[in-house]
Amino acid sequence: MRVDILKRAAWFLVYVFLQTIVFGRIHLYGVATPLLYVYFMLQFPRNYPKWANLLWGFFLGLAIDIFANTPGLAAASLTLLAAVQPYYLELFVPREAAENLQPSMAVLGVTRYIYYALPLVLLFVLIFYSLEFFNFIDWQHWLACVGSSTLLTLAIILTLEVVKSR
C-alpha cells in the first residue's frame, strides 16, 4: 500500500509540474487548452477507496489551482470527477474482473476505453469552464473552449495510452 501511495505521489508531482510548466501555457487558437492532469483521475483502479479517490482529486486540483491561479476551479472539478469515476468505471468492467483492475486501453480495449475516458473528460472540462466563465453571455466561446479542450485533452490521453501499451 505504501508503494502505491508513493507512486501516486510521484505521478501527482509530475502532473502538477507538466500542467503548470508546459500544458498550462498552451492555448490553441485562444480556446483549446490541454488539461492533462485529468488523466491522473482516470487511472484509479477498481475498488480503490472512494474517500482516497476524493482526497487525491481535491489535492491535485488544489495544487493546480495554486500554481495556475484558478481559485477553486480545478479542485471543484476534480473532486466531482473523483466522486463519479468509480461508479462510471463499473459500467465498463465485467463483474468477474480482478478487484484491482486499473483502467487502460490495453485492459478495456480501444473502443471501451474511449467510451470510458470521453464522458469523464467532457464532464471535467464542462464543469471547469462553466465555473470559469460563470455566465453564459458568451456561450459560443464557452462551447468552443469546452469542445476543443475536451478533444485536445482526450487526444493527448489516448496518445499516452498507446505509448504506455507498447
Side-chain angles (χ1 to χ4, degrees):
M1 183 70 170
R2 288 190 175 153
V3 174
D4 178 59
I5 292 173
L6 290 176
K7 283 173 62 176
R8 288 204 188 281
W11 279 112
F12 179 97
L13 294 174
V14 167
Y15 285 118
V16 169
F17 176 77
L18 285 175
Q19 185 64 38
T20 56
I21 301 299
V22 179
F23 293 113
R25 301 183 190 276
I26 298 172
H27 304 290
L28 296 176
Y29 303 107
V31 292
T33 302
L35 303 167
L36 182 66
Y37 55 95
V38 71
Y39 184 49
F40 181 78
M41 297 308 301
L42 296 179
Q43 294 177 321
F44 277 95
R46 179 182 186 191
N47 292 336
Y48 196 78
K50 291 173 182 56
W51 62 267
N53 205 357
L54 287 169
L55 285 177
W56 280 111
F58 174 74
F59 284 116
L60 177 61
L62 185 63
I64 296 295
D65 286 335
I66 288 170
F67 290 111
N69 197 20
T70 55
L73 298 179
S77 304
L78 276 181
T79 304
L80 177 67
L81 183 69
V84 170
Q85 185 265 348
Y87 300 105
Y88 190 69
L89 176 60
E90 288 297 322
L91 297 175
F92 295 93
V93 178
R95 291 182 191 248
E96 61 274 354
E99 291 293 318
N100 60 349
L101 178 122
Q102 186 169 357
S104 68
M105 196 178 292
V107 172
L108 296 177
V110 176
T111 307
R112 290 178 84 188
Y113 188 78
I114 291 172
Y115 286 149
Y116 165 71
L118 178 63
L120 291 176
V121 171
L122 179 63
L123 173 70
F124 171 76
V125 173
L126 189 71
I127 298 301
F128 184 86
Y129 280 111
S130 294
L131 290 174
E132 183 179 27
F133 280 65
F134 207 66
N135 63 36
F136 294 105
I137 292 173
D138 193 7
W139 63 272
Q140 292 148 338
H141 183 64
W142 171 81
L143 193 61
C145 287
V146 168
S148 61
S149 293
T150 300
L151 292 176
L152 183 60
T153 302
L154 187 66
I156 294 171
I157 289 172
L158 294 177
T159 303
L160 289 174
E161 279 292 321
V162 167
V163 169
K164 189 171 83 171
S165 67
R166 289 184 186 224

